[in-house]
Amino acid sequence: KPVIAAVNGTAAGGGSHLALACDLVVMADTAKFIEVFVRRGIMPDAGGCYLLPRLVGIHRAKELMFLGEECNAEAASRIGLVNRVVAAGNVDAEATAVATHLASLPTRAIALTKALTNRSLESSREQSFADEAIFQDLIAHTADMAEGIAAFRERRDPVFRGW
């Protein structure tokens, strides 16, 4: 299942890593991330050394972790830490809207897409293509796929039912 973070204030240290471990991140325009560990004389935990390089590249990750500077919503969006930045009072509503939209989509396809994407940075190209073929076969016989194809043929919006 997709997990959505709604960042309303300061997400520092492990709190920032918890948000960044989510599949999608909605952030208030007044919120910020801080890799606070260096300010305390300690090193990142809660998956930061794993997550950050994968999200923003190794040099940007090191900059965030080494310097411990605040990363505001505009910068977080620019460097790819968040999916959406919204007005501070709209974060929960936007996260709920995204979740509602996801729930209306073919849930099995999303689940398998998430699984394959999460493995992609540790898989070879050949393994990824092989996994993709297996996952496609799992999807091929679902009611949601049949609905998607029928809707395409009939030139209408699909109505997915989920699992």
Side-chain angles (χ1 to χ4, degrees):
K1 295 177 183 173
V3 178
I4 303 167
V7 181
N8 285 308
T10 299
S16 67
H17 299 164
L18 180 61
L20 297 176
C22 294
D23 298 305
L24 301 172
V25 181
V26 177
M27 187 174 193
D29 57 2
T30 56
K32 59 189 168 188
F33 289 117
I34 306 172
E35 288 298 311
V36 73
F37 303 97
V38 71
R39 295 181 183 188
R40 307 295 175 254
I42 58 177
M43 61 167 283
D45 61 13
C49 291
Y50 177 86
L51 288 168
L52 280 171
R54 285 165 169 76
L55 294 171
V56 299
I58 197 161
H59 288 110
R60 180 74 68 188
K62 287 177 182 177
E63 177 184 25
L64 291 167
M65 292 185 285
F66 290 178
L67 301 178
E69 296 171 344
E70 294 180 5
C71 180
N72 66 26
E74 184 274 322
S77 179
R78 183 173 27 81
I79 66 174
L81 286 177
V82 301
N83 301 94
R84 298 179 183 191
V85 174
V86 299
N90 297 336
V91 174
D92 290 340
E94 181 67 15
T96 300
V98 171
T100 300
H101 181 64
L102 283 168
S104 74
L105 298 172
T107 54
R108 180 171 274 174
I110 290 171
L112 293 175
T113 300
K114 175 179 173 172
L116 191 60
T117 303
N118 284 348
R119 293 165 48 168
S120 69
L121 294 175
E122 286 82 32
S123 296
S124 68
R125 181 177 179 189
E126 294 79 18
Q127 184 62 57
S128 186
F129 284 1
D131 290 344
E132 190 177 278
I134 293 167
F135 286 16
Q136 288 290 356
D137 189 51
L138 293 172
I139 293 294
H141 306 289
T142 64
D144 278 347
M145 183 183 168
E147 169 61 12
I149 299 298
F152 175 76
R153 282 190 199 131
E154 297 165 13
R155 298 177 190 258
R156 63 174 173 80
D157 291 334
V159 179
F160 296 114
R161 304 277 184 228
W163 291 90

